[in-house]
Structures are given as structure tokens and as C-alpha cells.
Amino acid sequence: APADLMRPVPAGVAPSILAANFAQLGEQVGSVLAAGAPAIHVDVMDGHFVPALSMGPQVVEALAGQAHDAGAYVDVHLMVERPERHVAAFAKAGADGITIHVEATPHTNYALAAVRDAGCRAGLALCPGTPVQAVSELLGEFDLVLCMTVNPGWGGQRFLEGSLGKLERLHMLVGDGPALEVDGGIDARTAGACAAAGATIFVAGSSIFGHGDPAAAYRDLAGTVRS
Ligand code: DX5
Ligand code: ZN
């Protein structure tokens, strides 16, 4: 999409479909959208950058229309090596934002530019062990920075408490321009602490879709980060 027609990166809770029941994906996504979710987070894993395989552009294509009809943003998190090779396919499938890992390619500047050239918001993700300075040569090249609060690759892990200090340092480094996203172990306890440390978008998988009533779980969690 041309820059003026692109969806802005939203603030709030982004349910991650990694924890959804895939036999009822449309219904589950529909329930959190109806509850007001401003974004749907899609975790793409390649079996190389992280051990697991998850989903590809077909899944984005299957849910993008439903998300866009509800005014929501499709947030694609690429946990894949050489993500620049997959940007076009996810943009075509309907992604609004594509986040690449700083550890996944030697060509981070090129990859972020490829995301923007494809008409999407550009995100840059950092694993827990990656220092915040990894973003310092790329300021201005991304719209969102994703601070992993668990090691990428699996849902349902425990929040790494060291993430809170890192978030504050990252916020100081990038300022208030880019969205600051947290991902992993986000629940009603950890989301508020991340908000206090500067996070603006909160990815939540198991704390929403691991719940019998995902819409109610979304509302509870959203209530803990609303300012
Ligand atoms: C982890 C993924 C997360 C995952 C989070 O590699 O990037 O988006 O869905 O899952 P929870 O919320 O269960 O920690
Ligand atoms: Zn993710």
C-alpha cells in the first residue's frame, strides 16, 4: 500500500494465533477481533532460525480479510533465516507489518527497506541475548522494535524478568517514535510491568488462546495495559 494508506502500528494487546486452535482459526480470530483486538500476531518459524516449523503466507492470506474488515493490523513476526527472501510473499498475503530478527540476516538494513518498499511497516526484533545497541545503526529504518521477552521458538514460556531493564534501555535508545513491542510470557502480571517500562504493544498467545474464553481473556489483559 502507498505510505498514506498504510495502517499505523496500533497500541495495545496483539493476540498471537500460535496458541489458537487451528481447526477453529477463523472463529477464534473473530472472537478476539469482536472484543476489540487492534492487531493479530502471526508467528512464522522456519525450522532453522528456531527449531520449530509453524505457518506461512497462506495463513496470513486466510485471516487478513477478516482482520482488515475489523480495522485490525496484521502483525507478522518472521523467525526465519534470511527474512528478506520472504518479505514479498507476506506483503502480498496481506501483512500490514513485517518484523525481521536482527540475528537472522547480515543484511538488516536491506531487509527493513524491503519491508517498507513492499508497502508494510518495518519491525526489528531482538532475542533476549542480543544487546540493545544492535539497533543503533538502524534508527529511522524501522517503525517498530520487538523486544523478545522469552527465547523465540515456542509459546507458553516464562517471561524473562531481565527484559524489564532491557526495555527501558531500548526505549531510551529508540525514543518515542517507533512502537515498542513485547512478545513472550505476557499475561496480566507481566503486561503492566512492560507498559511501565515503555512497551506499547503486547503480544499474547497462551494467556489468550489457552483460555476457555479468548475474548474475555483479551479484555482482561487489555484492561491491565490501558493508560
Ligand atoms: C514465540 C512467539 C510468540 C508466542 C508467544 O517465539 O514469538 O509470539 O506466540 O506465546 P506466549 O504468549 O504463549 O508466550
Ligand atoms: Zn511472536
Side-chain angles (χ1 to χ4, degrees), residues 82-140:
R82 303 303 299 268
E84 61 274 19
R85 295 173 178 166
H86 302 280
V87 163
F90 284 96
K92 182 158 178 276
D96 296 293
I98 299 176
T99 296
I100 61 133
H101 268 266
V102 70
E103 307 87 359
T105 174
H107 304 297
T108 46
N109 184 292
Y110 173 87
L112 292 169
V115 172
R116 285 182 168 173
D117 286 348
C120 298
R121 304 289 178 183
L124 187 61
L126 275 63
C127 288
T130 301
V132 297
Q133 284 74 21
V135 309
S136 60
E137 301 302 328
L138 297 165
L139 296 173

Side-chain angles (χ1 to χ4, degrees), residues 1-121:
D4 55 331
L5 296 178
M6 281 163 57
R7 269 185 191 73
V9 182
V13 172
S16 164
I17 61 168
L18 188 63
N21 177 342
F22 275 64
Q24 292 153 19
L25 188 57
E27 194 185 303
Q28 297 224 311
V29 167
S31 70
V32 293
L33 289 172
I40 299 294
H41 184 86
V42 181
D43 288 304
V44 179
M45 303 181 185
D46 67 349
H48 293 273
F49 181 68
V50 293
L53 290 166
S54 62
M55 53 196 120
Q58 295 91 337
V59 174
V60 172
E61 194 171 352
L63 59 75
Q66 186 184 10
H68 293 158
D69 287 348
Y73 177 99
V74 177
D75 183 35
V76 174
H77 177 193
L78 295 183
M79 286 164 276
V80 308
E81 285 178 7
R82 303 303 299 268
E84 61 274 19
R85 295 173 178 166
H86 302 280
V87 163
F90 284 96
K92 182 158 178 276
D96 296 293
I98 299 176
T99 296
I100 61 133
H101 268 266
V102 70
E103 307 87 359
T105 174
H107 304 297
T108 46
N109 184 292
Y110 173 87
L112 292 169
V115 172
R116 285 182 168 173
D117 286 348
C120 298
R121 304 289 178 183

Side-chain angles (χ1 to χ4, degrees), residues 114-196:
V115 172
R116 285 182 168 173
D117 286 348
C120 298
R121 304 289 178 183
L124 187 61
L126 275 63
C127 288
T130 301
V132 297
Q133 284 74 21
V135 309
S136 60
E137 301 302 328
L138 297 165
L139 296 173
E141 307 298 327
F142 52 84
D143 306 294
L144 173 155
V145 59
L146 169 51
C147 181
M148 289 302 305
T149 45
V150 298
N151 286 295
W154 305 270
Q157 301 179 81
R158 263 197 55 190
F159 180 84
L160 296 168
E161 300 290 338
S163 307
L164 295 173
K166 182 177 180 181
L167 268 171
E168 286 175 359
R169 293 192 298 279
L170 197 51
H171 187 206
M172 280 213 287
L173 188 56
V174 303
D176 286 327
L180 187 45
E181 184 172 50
V182 286
D183 184 5
I186 300 299
D187 58 21
R189 184 186 69 83
T190 56
C194 289

Side-chain angles (χ1 to χ4, degrees), residues 208-222:
I208 291 181
F209 291 112
H211 193 279
D213 183 349
Y218 165 81
R219 279 191 223 98
D220 286 350
L221 191 53

